[in-house]
Structures are given as C-alpha cells and as structure tokens.
Amino acid sequence: MKFALDTLLLPLQRRFAVLGLLCGLAVTITWWLVVARGVWMAITWASA
C-alpha cells in the first residue's frame, strides 16, 4: 500500500518542486529589478 501511495505522490512532488523553483526564481528576479530601479533612482537624484 505504501509503495502504491509513493508511486502516486512522486510525480506530484516533482511538479511542486519545479513550481517552487520557478516561483523562487521569479521572486529573485523581481527583487533584483526593484533593487536596480532603486539604485537608478538614487543615482538620478544624486546627479540632479
């Protein structure tokens, strides 16, 4: 019974692992874009 349950859950776990990695990547990219925009605004403000 446990083997059958593990067999059914394995593809689901893989799918959620990929989804988690993609969400983590999206959050990281968004964070760096926010930081880059903040740096750009600080440079623009300082040079004005």
Side-chain angles (χ1 to χ4, degrees):
M1 184 65 181
K2 185 177 183 324
F3 178 73
L5 189 61
D6 287 342
T7 305
L8 290 172
L9 287 178
L10 190 60
L12 190 63
Q13 288 174 342
R14 285 186 185 153
R15 190 169 299 137
F16 277 111
V18 171
L19 185 63
L21 288 173
L22 289 175
C23 287
L25 183 64
V27 167
T28 303
I29 291 172
T30 302
W31 172 251
W32 281 112
L33 288 174
V34 168
V35 169
R37 186 165 192 263
V39 169
W40 178 258
M41 288 174 64
I43 291 171
T44 304
W45 177 79
S47 65

